[in-house]
Amino acid sequence: MARLSSLLSFSLALLIFLHGSTAQQFPNECQLDQLNALEPSHVLKAEAGRIEVWDHHAPQLRCSGVSFVRYIIESKGLYLPSFFSTAKLSFVAKGQGLMGRVVPGCAETFQDSSVFQPGGQGQQGQGQQGQGQGFRDMHQKVEHIRTGDTIATHPGVAQWFYNDGNQPLVIVSVLDLASHQNQLDRNPRPFYLAGNNPQGQVWIEGREQQPQKNILNGFTPEVLAKAFKIDVRTAQQLQNQEDNRGNIIRVQGPFSVIRPPLRSQRPQEEVNGLEETICSARCTDNLDDPSNADVYKPQLGYISTLNSYDLPILRFLRLSALRGSIRQNAMVLPQWNANANAVLYVTDGEAHVQVVNDNGDRVFDGQVSQGQLLSIPQGFSVVKRATSEQFRWIEFKTNANAQINTLAGRTSVLRGLPLEVISNGYQISLEEARRVKFNTIETTLTHSSGPASYGRPRKADA
């Protein structure tokens, strides 16, 4: 009994210590009196593109527990494989290309079967005849990606991208630094399998002047030679010691990987039990198709959400996304995220945004435009109004099934309150309370040109 009591006392003391340690490390992180539309703070240039990194020490990003990165890959550019210690959710803002992932422990399900054909003829086999009849390639899944695709990536999963189009491939990613899966500190740490970063991890204190090399560089060539069963000279090549191309390189000649047909050319596949395995789990979904939108009004725009019900892998990452596209003078009714922080990135156009914190203060009141980032903490109320011909954005949220509550509209919190509560709470007449409660009949999108009606509630439209 005494032993059990000592164990309970030790556990309680440990919990108190850990809680106190965490509180000292991140005191009042979310006591935000002002938000700003953020631009990238660091640019890592490479041979065929660049990587732009936002300052994750900015108070609003530190509150959300995330960091943000933008990859700009030129035509024929290859972003070399790397992985993070955090969950990552990416969005293809522009362009098209190929994406590959290497999930630990999974088999190479994409195989070059030309070796089994008479004469070794085939799409990949033709370019490999000089290496012998018995040669073939095998690798893990490769997917076509295009504008509007959202891509979920587990921690520790190596990922690469290739731009096979004629315009730049732009991908934005949020890294969940506060995730339970990240066992390191709250710094974004890419681990490069190939290539290097001559400029170093300038966003980490103490690493500003240290070029970042790939992880194979840390081993001796002799160890690599034994591990890969190759000669020492080839092992030295794997370390990229004399390579200054960065982590986005330009591919010379054809890029012949085993790839599936484009999505429009593929037969519709039925989901089966195999889809539930980690190796074959679907990790992409497109949010740019208005026919699949959750909210759609031709004169106003549309909003599409992506959560774990749509993409089950998000259940493990504990992340979700929202895609919005609204026309000029359309407004997203005031709302707040009930169970998640949000990071809003503008892909096209401009909008006027207001954000209000827990103290009832307006902490942001201004324009956001293409390429800018705005972090919206949990519970902070936000309203968006398009000021350009079209305003399009992507929001990443730190919950697999993020929920919103609205302040105005047919499903809002005020619509659910009794008239007497509204009348007494705001010191207005019952008639005025009735207008507050019933005048806005939309749920999410409305016109911002002024009061739509006055007096009797309008009939709900589609």
Side-chain angles (χ1 to χ4, degrees):
M1 188 67 182
R3 185 176 179 181
L4 178 60
S5 178
S6 300
L7 183 60
L8 290 174
S9 299
F10 172 76
S11 300
L12 181 60
L14 181 62
L15 286 173
I16 294 174
F17 169 77
L18 291 176
H19 177 76
S21 175
T22 304
Q24 292 176 5
Q25 186 178 3
F26 307 112
N28 296 327
E29 276 188 316
C30 295
Q31 189 169 316
L32 302 172
D33 298 322
Q34 182 178 355
L35 300 179
N36 297 296
L38 302 177
E39 303 276 358
S41 56
H42 308 290
V43 179
L44 309 179
K45 296 180 180 179
E47 179 188 41
R50 64 186 187 271
I51 302 172
E52 299 176 343
V53 183
W54 272 255
D55 181 13
H56 66 289
H57 296 298
Q60 60 201 68
L61 289 181
R62 193 168 66 240
C63 169
S64 298
V66 303
S67 66
F68 201 82
V69 185
R70 180 166 60 206
Y71 305 90
I72 301 176
I73 306 170
E74 297 172 5
S75 179
K76 287 187 171 295
L78 173 65
Y79 173 78
L80 295 170
S82 66
F83 65 88
F84 287 87
S85 60
T86 65
K88 181 173 70 169
L89 195 58
S90 306
F91 180 79
V92 182
K94 181 187 297 183
Q96 65 178 43
L98 298 173
M99 183 269 295
R101 300 179 307 144
V102 181
V103 183
C106 295
E108 306 97 328
T109 55
F110 279 41
Q111 301 179 5
D112 178 5
S113 57
S114 60
V115 68
F116 301 113
Q117 300 174 5
Q121 299 299 312
Q123 180 181 351
Q124 282 75 34
Q126 292 175 359
Q128 298 166 349
Q129 292 299 308
Q131 300 191 39
Q133 180 69 17
F135 178 83
R136 70 176 187 270
D137 192 14
M138 303 168 60
H139 54 71
Q140 288 194 24
K141 188 174 183 179
V142 173
E143 297 184 53
H144 293 276
I145 57 174
R146 56 189 170 92
T147 302
D149 277 351
T150 305
I151 306 164
T153 309
H154 279 95
V157 170
Q159 189 173 43
W160 58 266
F161 297 99
Y162 175 69
N163 183 353
D164 64 357
N166 296 320
Q167 65 173 334
L169 173 62
V170 181
I171 301 172
V172 293
S173 300
V174 67
L175 306 171
D176 189 5
L177 302 179
S179 166
H180 67 290
Q181 300 179 22
N182 179 25
Q183 300 296 301
L184 301 179
D185 54 24
R186 283 197 179 186
N187 286 305
R189 296 180 182 273
F191 293 79
Y192 294 141
L193 293 178
N196 51 54
N197 169 19
Q199 296 169 250
Q201 301 184 72
V202 293
W203 55 87
I204 299 180
E205 186 176 353
R207 294 271 180 92
E208 297 90 343
Q209 305 300 324
Q210 301 178 21
Q212 184 184 10
K213 301 170 283 291
N214 73 48
I215 59 179
L216 296 179
N217 186 83
F219 296 100
T220 61
E222 293 75 18
V223 167
L224 293 178
K226 293 177 181 178
F228 289 99
K229 304 296 188 293
I230 55 178
D231 58 58
V232 174
R233 182 177 175 277
T234 303
Q236 291 173 332
Q237 287 292 112
L238 297 180
Q239 297 179 318
N240 294 122
Q241 292 184 356
E242 305 299 325
D243 191 342
N244 293 316
R245 295 176 297 169
N247 204 46
I248 305 176
I249 65 170
R250 194 175 308 281
V251 172
Q252 306 297 332
F255 188 71
S256 300
V257 299
I258 307 165
R259 65 184 78 178
L262 291 170
R263 295 177 206 180
S264 59
Q265 302 170 357
R266 272 184 266 170
Q268 189 69 28
E269 297 178 356
E270 295 185 4
V271 178
N272 54 43
L274 183 65
E275 292 293 329
E276 299 177 5
T277 69
I278 190 65
C279 295
S280 57
R282 190 166 58 90
C283 71
T284 61
D285 204 325
N286 193 276
L287 289 176
D288 267 6
D289 185 357
S291 65
N292 294 326
D294 297 290
V295 177
Y296 176 69
K297 291 194 171 187
Q299 299 81 12
L300 299 176
Y302 69 88
I303 290 179
S304 298
T305 58
L306 182 68
N307 55 35
S308 68
Y309 297 109
D310 310 302
L311 198 62
I313 192 174
L314 295 176
R315 184 184 312 123
F316 304 100
L317 303 189
R318 299 185 182 179
L319 295 171
S320 58
L322 178 148
R323 175 64 160 165
S325 176
I326 57 176
R327 300 179 184 275
Q328 190 166 23
N329 287 325
M331 172 191 287
V332 181
L333 290 170
Q335 59 185 227
W336 72 89
N337 289 295
N339 58 351
N341 296 312
V343 177
L344 182 155
Y345 174 81
V346 183
T347 59
D348 300 281
E350 296 181 338
H352 187 266
V353 177
Q354 291 185 351
V355 183
V356 177
N357 68 2
D358 58 308
N359 204 43
D361 298 322
R362 192 163 57 248
V363 292
F364 184 84
D365 187 358
Q367 292 282 119
V368 292
S369 56
Q370 182 176 349
Q372 290 187 318
L373 186 74
L374 182 65
S375 179
I376 304 170
Q378 177 182 0
F380 283 38
S381 296
V382 57
V383 62
K384 313 175 191 77
R385 179 175 59 85
T387 55
S388 59
E389 185 175 347
Q390 189 173 48
F391 173 62
R392 291 156 62 87
W393 75 97
I394 181 74
E395 280 183 53
F396 299 103
K397 303 191 179 187
T398 58
N399 192 302
N401 295 293
Q403 300 173 352
I404 63 169
N405 286 334
T406 53
L407 280 169
R410 195 167 69 239
T411 58
S412 68
V413 60
L414 289 184
R415 188 66 175 259
L417 294 176
L419 285 173
E420 289 289 348
V421 173
I422 297 174
S423 175
N424 285 277
Y426 299 109
Q427 291 185 309
I428 57 179
S429 68
L430 286 175
E431 179 61 23
E432 290 172 320
R434 187 179 64 82
R435 292 171 185 161
V436 168
K437 181 172 179 175
F438 294 111
N439 268 16
T440 301
I441 50 81
E442 298 89 354
T443 59
T444 307
L445 300 179
T446 189
H447 289 283
S448 62
S449 54
S453 67
Y454 207 75
R456 297 187 62 183
R458 293 176 296 150
K459 182 179 179 181
D461 55 3

